Amino acid sequence: MSTHYTSLAIDDPTKLVFGHAPNPFTLRRGMVLGGGLVYPEINFTLPPMLIEAGTMNKVCTEYRQMITGVLKRAAELESPGVLVEFETLPPMTEHPDWGMQIVNILLDAMEEAHAKDGLASALRMTPNDNREMVRPPQMRSGIYWEGMLELFDRSAAAGAELLSIESVGGKELHDDALTMGDMQGSIFGLSVLGARDMKFLWTHIVEIAKRHGVHAAGDTACGFGNTAMVLAEQKMIPRVFAAVVRAVTAVRSLVAYECGAVGPGKDCGYENPILKAITGFPMSMEGKCASCAHFSPMGNLAAACCDTWSNESIQNVKLLGGMAPTMSMEQLIYDCRLMNVALGEGPKEVLKLRDWFVASDDSLDPQAYILRPDCCVQLAQAIISKDTPYTAARHVGLTAIDILRQAHADKSLKLSDRELPWLDTMTDTIQEMPDDENVLAQQVIATTEPGRFLPAEYGLTS
Amino acid sequence: MANLNALTEFIKSGNRSKATKLTQEALDAGEVPQGILDAMVVGMDVVGERFKCNEIFVPEMLIAARAMKEAMAILEPALVKTGYKPIATAVIGTVQGDLHDIGKNLVSMMWKGASFNVVDLGVNVPAEKFVAAIKEHNATLVGLSALLTTTMPAMQTVMDAIRAEDFVGVKVLIGGAPITQNYADQIGADAFAADAASAVDAARKLLAN
């Protein structure tokens, strides 16, 4: 059973703010997501090392050290709560027993921190999506699919309260679309292949969550929108192209909520404010504190509508102040403290701080501009005005281009000369695309090198 | 006499139809195949430079590479008849456990544009497959890519497997987000490239030594 959104949960941009979501919910230790506080969400990863049977003891030692360090600092700084995200590395999904060893280490430490210091916390479990380990990716069966579902199921049974993923459906064609500057390919990857895969995948994840009484949280088009963002940051593709891709990613990520996810959307889904406007669910975001993992052009603006504030991922290496994950925890907590002070002061102060976050970034990069709260509401409206992911993707893409064109014209956004022709190129491309997604699908199947993707894995016939 | 300067320009602008047409005309006019190839490589070098200077984006570079690829398909039979051999045969892949291939694909494309024969092994490539491909294709250049801190050590495994063989003159170049020159030195790789454009210069330098 899936929901098709036809109205916005937040249609007034002044209501699209950090810390408040129209549909908040409470976790087992009493943390209310979207209920008036912003919580830090910490994610950490291993330093350079192999993950194999012979190194698992060392791997576990690293995770034990990381979780102990971050929880201790959170307790010392009196954080009102902490979300811990465990995003597995490929071998940990491939071998669910290895993944579960770490899940248990994290949950034990979280339990201990609660018993000893009264620290509330919850675990977001994010098995990495190994389905592209075989090429062409096998999306609906096979050992990678089964291992991933097993890890979701066992971690939910063990106590992980939020289930998430960075799914990869459609990425096998989307990567090339990005490097070729091909907007048609991007829309096909996101809204035809991606949306179909999301529906299949999230139907399963929601069912697992229900079975264990936990929450199907949300997905992210990280492998699409953030790949575009990083390529734009490296000056490989135009920033306006990455900005339009970002708007289109919201169509793909929305499918999780249509299938029953309730948030908070995954931290690296920079499209999440658009989804918050549509669904009203709390969202996680990352910005300046995620530069330990990758750069972005919206370090402050990304906080404007967050309900949890994340660092994306940090390696367990030693810095002058201490271990890097502990340092990252401290940074997140101080950012959250500031937002929570504003939330305590009232709506006027929340808007003031939010607008400062926005104003510090929005005029300098189209990818930031497109995520201003007013633009997010406009893009959200464009998405819900259409009946299918494909038609929504084309419409939101054109809407995003119009927003950027207008912003450049009124000088509220600075675009370089070499970026500008891309606005027209993208407009022409989207307008010339077939109205029927099946016509496009057949065109793509006919012109794509055999073996690049399996149409049947997306419910397409060739 | 065909206008090879025009061919250079068509490659630079990525004009596939004109580049292929002019290549055929040049061959018909009796131009030396190597001269035609040189005109194309000059075009791609300019494109690479413009990219390095942030004057164009990757899509524009790829469009030029596509024009060269199609023109090369016409030129290649004539080149082969002259006994032409590519500057080098390169084997490239993303190491075992890692699925990221955008960076690797860009390097592959840039190397092809620089007239290397490139064998792309794809992603999640075990060390044995690199070794087998070096032997099969008589490769003298190997490109290794990794994006994860937990797959970086697989580069060491490949290096160990390559060094355990009696390959003569095989050079290894590595790259990827977590990779540094220090790491290249540590595992005994011959060079590190920070991005796709500099991977061409690095490869040429390696092969010249």
PDB file of all heavy atoms in Angstrom, chain A residues 424-440:
ATOM      1  N   ASP A 424      19.981  26.748 -20.675  1.00  0.00           N
ATOM      2  CA  ASP A 424      19.213  26.534 -21.916  1.00  0.00           C
ATOM      3  C   ASP A 424      19.324  25.086 -22.394  1.00  0.00           C
ATOM      4  O   ASP A 424      18.344  24.494 -22.844  1.00  0.00           O
ATOM      5  CB  ASP A 424      19.713  27.478 -23.021  1.00  0.00           C
ATOM      6  CG  ASP A 424      19.351  28.928 -22.716  1.00  0.00           C
ATOM      7  OD1 ASP A 424      18.404  29.134 -21.925  1.00  0.00           O
ATOM      8  OD2 ASP A 424      20.018  29.827 -23.251  1.00  0.00           O
ATOM      9  N   THR A 425      20.527  24.550 -22.310  1.00  0.00           N
ATOM     10  CA  THR A 425      20.724  23.161 -22.761  1.00  0.00           C
ATOM     11  C   THR A 425      19.815  22.214 -21.976  1.00  0.00           C
ATOM     12  O   THR A 425      19.155  21.337 -22.545  1.00  0.00           O
ATOM     13  CB  THR A 425      22.203  22.744 -22.550  1.00  0.00           C
ATOM     14  OG1 THR A 425      23.025  23.676 -23.245  1.00  0.00           O
ATOM     15  CG2 THR A 425      22.480  21.341 -23.048  1.00  0.00           C
ATOM     16  N   MET A 426      19.790  22.404 -20.652  1.00  0.00           N
ATOM     17  CA  MET A 426      18.965  21.507 -19.824  1.00  0.00           C
ATOM     18  C   MET A 426      17.472  21.697 -20.120  1.00  0.00           C
ATOM     19  O   MET A 426      16.725  20.726 -20.185  1.00  0.00           O
ATOM     20  CB  MET A 426      19.252  21.749 -18.339  1.00  0.00           C
ATOM     21  CG  MET A 426      20.624  21.253 -17.904  1.00  0.00           C
ATOM     22  SD  MET A 426      20.846  21.330 -16.111  1.00  0.00           S
ATOM     23  CE  MET A 426      21.012  23.089 -15.831  1.00  0.00           C
ATOM     24  N   THR A 427      17.080  22.952 -20.306  1.00  0.00           N
ATOM     25  CA  THR A 427      15.659  23.213 -20.619  1.00  0.00           C
ATOM     26  C   THR A 427      15.270  22.495 -21.905  1.00  0.00           C
ATOM     27  O   THR A 427      14.246  21.788 -21.956  1.00  0.00           O
ATOM     28  CB  THR A 427      15.427  24.729 -20.795  1.00  0.00           C
ATOM     29  OG1 THR A 427      15.846  25.386 -19.606  1.00  0.00           O
ATOM     30  CG2 THR A 427      13.962  25.039 -21.053  1.00  0.00           C
ATOM     31  N   ASP A 428      16.079  22.672 -22.942  1.00  0.00           N
ATOM     32  CA  ASP A 428      15.771  22.032 -24.237  1.00  0.00           C
ATOM     33  C   ASP A 428      15.684  20.521 -24.075  1.00  0.00           C
ATOM     34  O   ASP A 428      14.772  19.877 -24.611  1.00  0.00           O
ATOM     35  CB  ASP A 428      16.860  22.373 -25.273  1.00  0.00           C
ATOM     36  CG  ASP A 428      16.851  23.859 -25.632  1.00  0.00           C
ATOM     37  OD1 ASP A 428      15.853  24.535 -25.298  1.00  0.00           O
ATOM     38  OD2 ASP A 428      17.836  24.336 -26.225  1.00  0.00           O
ATOM     39  N   THR A 429      16.653  19.966 -23.357  1.00  0.00           N
ATOM     40  CA  THR A 429      16.681  18.502 -23.188  1.00  0.00           C
ATOM     41  C   THR A 429      15.407  18.009 -22.519  1.00  0.00           C
ATOM     42  O   THR A 429      14.765  17.059 -22.989  1.00  0.00           O
ATOM     43  CB  THR A 429      17.900  18.097 -22.330  1.00  0.00           C
ATOM     44  OG1 THR A 429      19.080  18.559 -22.965  1.00  0.00           O
ATOM     45  CG2 THR A 429      17.974  16.587 -22.156  1.00  0.00           C
ATOM     46  N   ILE A 430      15.035  18.652 -21.429  1.00  0.00           N
ATOM     47  CA  ILE A 430      13.855  18.171 -20.684  1.00  0.00           C
ATOM     48  C   ILE A 430      12.590  18.338 -21.518  1.00  0.00           C
ATOM     49  O   ILE A 430      11.724  17.456 -21.554  1.00  0.00           O
ATOM     50  CB  ILE A 430      13.728  18.901 -19.325  1.00  0.00           C
ATOM     51  CG1 ILE A 430      14.941  18.594 -18.439  1.00  0.00           C
ATOM     52  CG2 ILE A 430      12.445  18.491 -18.610  1.00  0.00           C
ATOM     53  CD1 ILE A 430      14.992  19.383 -17.132  1.00  0.00           C
ATOM     54  N   GLN A 431      12.509  19.461 -22.215  1.00  0.00           N
ATOM     55  CA  GLN A 431      11.294  19.699 -23.017  1.00  0.00           C
ATOM     56  C   GLN A 431      11.167  18.704 -24.175  1.00  0.00           C
ATOM     57  O   GLN A 431      10.064  18.362 -24.587  1.00  0.00           O
ATOM     58  CB  GLN A 431      11.284  21.128 -23.538  1.00  0.00           C
ATOM     59  CG  GLN A 431      10.903  22.117 -22.434  1.00  0.00           C
ATOM     60  CD  GLN A 431      11.014  23.561 -22.854  1.00  0.00           C
ATOM     61  OE1 GLN A 431      11.698  23.881 -23.833  1.00  0.00           O
ATOM     62  NE2 GLN A 431      10.374  24.456 -22.107  1.00  0.00           N
ATOM     63  N   GLU A 432      12.302  18.253 -24.673  1.00  0.00           N
ATOM     64  CA  GLU A 432      12.263  17.342 -25.824  1.00  0.00           C
ATOM     65  C   GLU A 432      12.094  15.876 -25.428  1.00  0.00           C
ATOM     66  O   GLU A 432      11.940  15.005 -26.288  1.00  0.00           O
ATOM     67  CB  GLU A 432      13.546  17.503 -26.652  1.00  0.00           C
ATOM     68  CG  GLU A 432      13.561  18.797 -27.449  1.00  0.00           C
ATOM     69  CD  GLU A 432      14.943  19.157 -27.963  1.00  0.00           C
ATOM     70  OE1 GLU A 432      15.840  18.287 -27.939  1.00  0.00           O
ATOM     71  OE2 GLU A 432      15.130  20.323 -28.353  1.00  0.00           O
ATOM     72  N   MET A 433      12.105  15.588 -24.140  1.00  0.00           N
ATOM     73  CA  MET A 433      11.965  14.188 -23.711  1.00  0.00           C
ATOM     74  C   MET A 433      10.539  13.690 -23.993  1.00  0.00           C
ATOM     75  O   MET A 433       9.589  14.471 -23.948  1.00  0.00           O
ATOM     76  CB  MET A 433      12.273  14.063 -22.211  1.00  0.00           C
ATOM     77  CG  MET A 433      13.757  14.258 -21.895  1.00  0.00           C
ATOM     78  SD  MET A 433      14.106  14.357 -20.127  1.00  0.00           S
ATOM     79  CE  MET A 433      13.812  12.665 -19.635  1.00  0.00           C
ATOM     80  N   PRO A 434      10.393  12.375 -24.270  1.00  0.00           N
ATOM     81  CA  PRO A 434       9.042  11.839 -24.524  1.00  0.00           C
ATOM     82  C   PRO A 434       8.138  12.029 -23.305  1.00  0.00           C
ATOM     83  O   PRO A 434       8.629  11.997 -22.169  1.00  0.00           O
ATOM     84  CB  PRO A 434       9.293  10.345 -24.754  1.00  0.00           C
ATOM     85  CG  PRO A 434      10.746  10.160 -24.880  1.00  0.00           C
ATOM     86  CD  PRO A 434      11.433  11.350 -24.323  1.00  0.00           C
ATOM     87  N   ASP A 435       6.858  12.212 -23.547  1.00  0.00           N
ATOM     88  CA  ASP A 435       5.920  12.357 -22.434  1.00  0.00           C
ATOM     89  C   ASP A 435       5.685  11.035 -21.716  1.00  0.00           C
ATOM     90  O   ASP A 435       5.372  11.012 -20.538  1.00  0.00           O
ATOM     91  CB  ASP A 435       4.571  12.900 -22.947  1.00  0.00           C
ATOM     92  CG  ASP A 435       4.708  14.360 -23.383  1.00  0.00           C
ATOM     93  OD1 ASP A 435       5.589  15.049 -22.830  1.00  0.00           O
ATOM     94  OD2 ASP A 435       3.961  14.779 -24.281  1.00  0.00           O
ATOM     95  N   ASP A 436       5.837   9.956 -22.454  1.00  0.00           N
ATOM     96  CA  ASP A 436       5.571   8.633 -21.895  1.00  0.00           C
ATOM     97  C   ASP A 436       6.897   7.994 -21.465  1.00  0.00           C
ATOM     98  O   ASP A 436       7.786   7.796 -22.292  1.00  0.00           O
ATOM     99  CB  ASP A 436       4.878   7.785 -22.973  1.00  0.00           C
ATOM    100  CG  ASP A 436       4.529   6.391 -22.486  1.00  0.00           C
ATOM    101  OD1 ASP A 436       5.035   5.979 -21.418  1.00  0.00           O
ATOM    102  OD2 ASP A 436       3.760   5.709 -23.182  1.00  0.00           O
ATOM    103  N   GLU A 437       7.005   7.641 -20.188  1.00  0.00           N
ATOM    104  CA  GLU A 437       8.276   7.076 -19.717  1.00  0.00           C
ATOM    105  C   GLU A 437       8.593   5.745 -20.379  1.00  0.00           C
ATOM    106  O   GLU A 437       9.762   5.378 -20.515  1.00  0.00           O
ATOM    107  CB  GLU A 437       8.270   6.919 -18.198  1.00  0.00           C
ATOM    108  CG  GLU A 437       7.414   5.797 -17.644  1.00  0.00           C
ATOM    109  CD  GLU A 437       7.588   5.643 -16.143  1.00  0.00           C
ATOM    110  OE1 GLU A 437       6.969   6.428 -15.413  1.00  0.00           O
ATOM    111  OE2 GLU A 437       8.329   4.758 -15.704  1.00  0.00           O
ATOM    112  N   ASN A 438       7.560   5.012 -20.818  1.00  0.00           N
ATOM    113  CA  ASN A 438       7.829   3.729 -21.483  1.00  0.00           C
ATOM    114  C   ASN A 438       8.491   3.931 -22.838  1.00  0.00           C
ATOM    115  O   ASN A 438       9.308   3.119 -23.270  1.00  0.00           O
ATOM    116  CB  ASN A 438       6.530   2.927 -21.631  1.00  0.00           C
ATOM    117  CG  ASN A 438       6.021   2.496 -20.272  1.00  0.00           C
ATOM    118  OD1 ASN A 438       6.767   1.907 -19.489  1.00  0.00           O
ATOM    119  ND2 ASN A 438       4.779   2.829 -19.971  1.00  0.00           N
ATOM    120  N   VAL A 439       8.138   5.030 -23.499  1.00  0.00           N
ATOM    121  CA  VAL A 439       8.785   5.349 -24.781  1.00  0.00           C
ATOM    122  C   VAL A 439      10.263   5.637 -24.530  1.00  0.00           C
ATOM    123  O   VAL A 439      11.158   5.135 -25.221  1.00  0.00           O
ATOM    124  CB  VAL A 439       8.088   6.554 -25.446  1.00  0.00           C
ATOM    125  CG1 VAL A 439       8.857   7.010 -26.682  1.00  0.00           C
ATOM    126  CG2 VAL A 439       6.645   6.203 -25.814  1.00  0.00           C
ATOM    127  N   LEU A 440      10.523   6.429 -23.482  1.00  0.00           N
ATOM    128  CA  LEU A 440      11.921   6.729 -23.143  1.00  0.00           C
ATOM    129  C   LEU A 440      12.654   5.450 -22.760  1.00  0.00           C
ATOM    130  O   LEU A 440      13.801   5.228 -23.186  1.00  0.00           O
ATOM    131  CB  LEU A 440      11.975   7.742 -21.987  1.00  0.00           C
ATOM    132  CG  LEU A 440      13.380   8.069 -21.483  1.00  0.00           C
ATOM    133  CD1 LEU A 440      14.227   8.722 -22.571  1.00  0.00           C
ATOM    134  CD2 LEU A 440      13.319   8.999 -20.257  1.00  0.00           C
TER     135      LEU A 440
END
